[in-house]
Amino acid sequence: MLLNIISKKNTRAVLELLRENEEMYFSEIQRELDMNLGSLNRILNELMTLNILDKRKDSEDVALPKAYYFVTDYGEKVVELYDLEKDLEKESKIINQTNIKGNVKNVVNMGDNATVNLK
């Protein structure tokens, strides 16, 4: 279930935005990502159900207290899956680039661009 939810459209953007800003309220997230209100609400609720996000309400003394969303400690670990995905994709590119005919002398990883030197 976890992978299904974090692989849904816009979920990564929501998590990365909250990770960068520590906490934000609904309209800030919606404005920053220019998302449909219903879609954003669904994503936030799904992430809270899995304890990836939580929220705190602003002072109860106001008529309409704002709810601030933030990434939980568990959510920080989940967001690291996106980092792991990036690392694995880079590694996969290097491996795929060595699947050529001939002897590979060395591969220099330069981010998304790798240099292959043949003997």
Side-chain angles (χ1 to χ4, degrees), residues 92-107 114-119:
S92 175
K93 286 179 184 177
I94 292 170
I95 291 169
N96 288 337
Q97 290 174 354
T98 60
N99 289 336
I100 56 176
K101 292 184 180 179
N103 296 321
V104 175
K105 182 177 177 184
N106 63 15
V107 176
T115 303
V116 178
N117 296 320
L118 300 176
K119 287 185 180 180

Side-chain angles (χ1 to χ4, degrees), residues 7 11 25 30 36-37 48 60 112-113:
S7 63
T11 301
Y25 55 92
Q30 191 277 327
N36 172 283
L37 298 174
M48 286 193 311
E60 298 291 332
D112 288 337
N113 300 319

